[in-house]
C-alpha cells in the first residue's frame, strides 16, 4: 500500500529542498487561517451551550487542519502517473462509498440526509471524495479517448454512463448541491477536452431540463426555489435562514461590527459555522473583509487553472485535466455557497472550501492542494515520471522557479 509514496523525487525533497509553488500554497494557507479564525468566532456561542466549552469546535477544526496538512503532504509524494493508473480503481471506490452511505446502520442521517459515514468522532462525507475521484477518472478518459471525444457522439456520451448513476446515488442521499458541482466540473472538463460547441450546447440544454425536472419532483426543492426569491414572505418559516443571513450582511456595512461581535451567530443564524460562515464573516469584517476573502478565492482558483495550463504546455495532458477539474470543483462550491449566503441561489448544504467547518471537506480540499502542487512541480521540472531514472545531477540541473 505504501509503495505509492516515493521517497524522492517530490516537491518536498529535491535539489533545492522544498520546491513548491509558494503563491498557491500561501493563498490556501491564508484561507485556512481565516477559516480557523471565523469558525472560532462563529461557533463559540453554540459550542458553549452544547458542550460547555466555547472553543470546542475550534479544537476539532484544528484537528481537521492537521489531518488536512498531512493529506496535502502525502498527496505531494504520489507521482501523477500513479493517479492516472489508479483512475478506474478510484472510480469503483467512489461508487462503493456512495452505496455504503445509503446502507442503514452504516450511513449516518443528519437533518434528513444520509450523507455521512460515522467513525467515532469523525464523519466521512463520501460525496466529497467521489467528486475528486470522478475528476481523476474523467481526466484519464479524456487522455485515452481524446480523438473519440472530439470527433464522435459516442466518445461524448460514454462518460455519462458513469456520471449519471453516480449522480443518481448522490440524489438518493439527497445531495443536490454536490450533484450540480460534480456534473458542472465534468461538463467543463469535457468542453476543455475538445467537445464541439454544438454537442456542448446540447448537454447544457439537457442539464437545464434535468434540473427543472428534479426541482419539480420534490416539493421541498420547489419550496426553496420559491422562497429564496422573496424570503421575507415566510420570514419565520422556510425563509428564516436566508433572512437571518441577509440581516448579517446588512449589519456588517463597510468595515463590520468587529471580530467576535456578531449578533446573528447567537442562535439567530442556523449553521453559522458551516454553510453560512461567510455571512458571519460579512457581519464581523464588513464589505472590505468579504471582498478580500473573495479575492483570495479568485486567486487560488485562477492559480489552479494556470497550473493546468502549464501542465498542458508541458504536454502532461492528464495532469492538466485534473488541475482544471479540481479548479472547477472549487469554483462551483464557491459560487453556490456565496450565492446562497447573499440570496442569489436557493439554500443548499454546500460548504465553503477551506473556510467552513467540516472534516471531510477540509481534508479533501487540502489533499487537492497537494495534488495541484505536485502537478505544478512535475510540469515545471519535467521530473516525476516513474519511467525516468533519477540521479543527483537531475536535481542539480533543475530550472529555477519562474512562476
Amino acid at each position: 500500500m505504501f509503495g505509492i509514496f516515493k521517497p524522492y523525487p517530490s516537491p518536498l525533497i529535491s535539489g533545492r529542498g522544498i520546491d513548491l509553488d509558494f503563491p498557491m500554497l500561501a493563498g490556501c494557507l491564508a484561507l485556512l487561517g481565516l477559516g480557523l479564525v471565523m469558525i472560532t468566532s462563529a461557533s463559540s456561542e453554540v459550542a458553549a451551550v452544547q458542550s460547555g466549552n466555547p472553543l470546542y469546535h475550534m479544537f476539532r477544526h484544528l484537528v481537521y487542519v492537521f489531518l488536512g496538512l498531512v493529506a496535502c503532504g502525502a498527496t505531494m509524494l504520489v507521482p501523477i502517473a500513479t493517479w492516472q493508473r489508479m483512475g478506474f480503481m478510484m472510480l469503483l471506490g467512489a461508487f462503493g462509498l456512495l452505496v455504503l452511505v445509503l446502507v442503514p446502520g452504516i450511513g449516518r442521517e443528519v437533518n434528513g440526509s444520509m450523507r455521512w459515514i460515522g467513525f467515532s468522532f469523525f464523519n466521512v462525507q463520501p460525496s466529497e471524495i467521489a467528486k475528486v475521484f470522478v475528476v481523476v477518472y474523467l481526466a484519464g478518459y479524456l487522455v485515452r479517448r481524446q480523438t473519440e471525444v472530439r470527433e464522435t457522439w459516442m466518445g461524448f456520451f460514454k462518460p455519462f454512463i458513469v456520471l449519471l448513476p453516480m449522480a443518481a446515488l448522490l440524489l438518493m442521499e439527497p445531495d443536490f448541491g454536490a450533484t450540480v458541482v460534480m456534473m458542472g466540473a465534468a461538463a467543463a472538463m469535457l468542453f476543455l477536452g475538445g467537445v464541439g460547441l454544438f454537442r456542448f450546447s446540447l448537454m447544457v440544454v439537457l442539464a437545464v431540463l434535468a434540473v427543472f425536472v428534479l426541482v419539480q419532483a420534490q416539493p421541498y426543492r420547489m419550496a426553496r426555489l420559491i422562497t429564496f426569491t422573496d424570503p421575507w414572505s415566510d420570514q419565520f418559516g422556510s425563509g428564516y435562514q436566508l433572512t437571518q443571513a441577509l440581516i448579517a450582511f446588512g449589519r456588517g456595512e463597510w468595515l463590520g461590527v468587529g471580530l467576535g461581535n456578531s449578533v446573528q451567530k447567537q442562535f439567530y443564524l442556523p449553521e453559522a459555522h458551516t454553510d453560512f460562515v461567510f455571512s458571519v464573516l460579512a457581519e464581523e469584517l464588513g464589505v472590505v473583509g468579504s471582498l478580500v476573502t473573495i479575492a483570495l478565492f479568485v486567486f487560488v482558483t485562477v492559480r489552479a487553472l494556470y497550473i493546468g495550463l502549464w501542465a498542458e504546455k508541458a504536454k502532461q495532458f492528464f495532469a492538466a485535466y485534473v488541475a482544471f477539474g479540481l479548479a472547477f470543483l472549487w469554483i462551483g462550491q464557491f459560487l453556490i455557497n456565496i450565492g446562497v449566503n447573499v440570496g442569489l441561489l436557493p439554500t443548499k448544504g454546500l460548504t465553503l472550501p477551506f473556510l467552513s467547518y467540516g472534516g471531510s471537506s477540509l481534508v479533501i480540499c487540502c489533499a487537492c492542494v497537494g495534488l495541484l502542487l505536485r502537478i505544478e512541480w512535475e510540469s515545471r521540472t519535467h521530473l516525476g515520471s516513474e519511467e525516468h531514472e533519477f540521479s543527483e545531477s537531475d536535481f542539480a540541473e533543475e530550472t529555477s522557479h519562474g512562476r
Side-chain angles (χ1 to χ4, degrees):
M1 176 181 176
F2 296 101
I4 62 174
F5 298 107
K6 302 294 182 183
Y8 76 92
S10 79
L12 298 177
I13 307 172
S14 69
R16 294 192 303 274
I18 298 177
D19 184 19
L20 299 172
D21 179 15
F22 284 103
M24 180 66 171
L25 182 63
C28 294
L29 289 178
L31 286 172
L32 282 174
L34 180 61
L36 179 63
V37 171
M38 292 313 306
I39 285 166
T40 303
S41 174
S43 67
S44 59
E45 301 295 333
V46 174
V49 171
Q50 292 180 348
S51 67
N53 180 5
L55 300 181
Y56 173 78
H57 290 299
M58 185 204 76
F59 290 133
R60 285 179 64 90
H61 192 73
L62 274 174
V63 173
Y64 299 146
V65 170
F66 173 75
L67 292 175
L69 294 176
V70 170
C72 179
T75 306
M76 279 189 278
L77 299 177
V78 182
I80 300 301
T82 302
W83 290 93
Q84 188 170 2
R85 284 199 312 270
M86 295 175 60
F88 183 70
M89 296 300 297
M90 296 172 75
L91 181 69
L92 293 179
F95 270 109
L97 287 171
L98 292 178
V99 170
L100 279 177
V101 77
L102 297 174
V103 177
I106 298 179
R108 192 170 182 178
E109 185 174 349
V110 179
N111 295 330
S113 298
M114 296 278 286
R115 299 181 187 176
W116 294 267
I117 298 176
F119 295 97
S120 62
F121 75 97
F122 187 78
N123 291 327
V124 174
Q125 192 169 358
S127 61
E128 295 291 336
I129 302 171
K131 287 184 293 188
V132 176
F133 284 6
V134 164
V135 165
V136 173
Y137 173 79
L138 189 55
Y141 173 82
L142 290 173
V143 171
R144 294 191 307 271
R145 306 286 185 178
Q146 187 177 61
T147 303
E148 189 179 353
V149 168
R150 293 180 176 181
E151 298 179 359
T152 69
W153 283 94
M154 185 56 66
F156 169 65
F157 281 119
K158 278 182 180 178
F160 292 97
I161 298 175
V162 170
L163 292 172
L164 292 178
M166 187 163 289
L169 289 172
L170 287 171
L171 290 172
M172 289 172 67
E173 296 183 5
D175 195 343
F176 187 67
T179 307
V180 171
V181 170
M182 183 190 73
M183 297 299 285
M189 290 175 69
L190 286 169
F191 183 71
L192 293 175
V195 171
L197 186 59
F198 174 73
R199 282 177 288 164
F200 182 77
S201 301
L202 177 62
M203 177 176 60
V204 172
V205 171
L206 292 174
V208 171
L209 291 174
V211 170
F212 177 77
V213 171
L214 289 171
V215 169
Q216 293 282 346
Q218 293 291 339
Y220 79 91
R221 291 184 187 135
M222 180 56 70
R224 285 183 177 180
L225 188 62
I226 294 173
T227 301
F228 100 95
T229 59
D230 184 15
W232 304 100
S233 64
D234 191 11
Q235 180 180 352
F236 299 104
S238 56
Y240 179 78
Q241 210 165 13
L242 179 54
T243 55
Q244 297 304 313
L246 293 176
I247 290 171
F249 277 95
R251 294 192 73 254
E253 299 184 348
W254 286 102
L255 298 177
V257 298
L259 189 63
N261 293 328
S262 167
V263 171
Q264 294 306 106
K265 70 181 181 181
Q266 298 179 11
F267 304 99
Y268 291 103
L269 178 61
E271 310 295 340
H273 61 294
T274 54
D275 300 341
F276 282 86
V277 68
F278 189 76
S279 296
V280 177
L281 183 149
E283 184 182 3
E284 296 188 348
L285 304 183
V287 171
V288 174
S290 301
L291 291 178
V292 169
T293 304
I294 291 173
L296 280 173
F297 273 113
V298 171
F299 174 76
V300 297
T301 52
V302 170
R303 189 75 178 181
L305 291 172
Y306 268 104
I307 287 173
L309 182 62
W310 295 330
E312 190 173 30
K313 288 182 176 179
K315 309 288 186 191
Q316 298 175 359
F317 297 109
F318 170 79
Y321 289 133
V322 170
F324 291 141
L326 296 179
F328 284 117
L329 286 180
W330 286 353
I331 292 170
Q333 285 194 228
F334 165 71
L335 290 177
I336 291 176
N337 185 280
I338 299 296
V340 166
N341 274 253
V342 299
L344 292 177
L345 293 173
T347 303
K348 292 308 305 168
L350 271 181
T351 57
L352 189 60
F354 299 105
L355 256 71
S356 292
Y357 178 83
S360 295
S361 175
L362 186 65
V363 172
I364 292 299
C365 279
C366 291
C368 290
V369 173
L371 186 51
L372 288 166
L373 293 174
R374 176 82 194 196
I375 290 171
E376 189 277 336
W377 178 79
E378 289 196 13
S379 65
R380 174 164 46 86
T381 62
H382 298 283
L383 301 177
S385 171
E386 292 192 331
E387 287 75 25
H388 188 89
E389 294 292 333
F390 296 97
S391 64
E392 290 299 321
S393 61
D394 289 320
F395 296 105
E397 294 173 3
E398 288 180 21
T399 58
S400 60
H401 199 305
R403 298 173 182 166

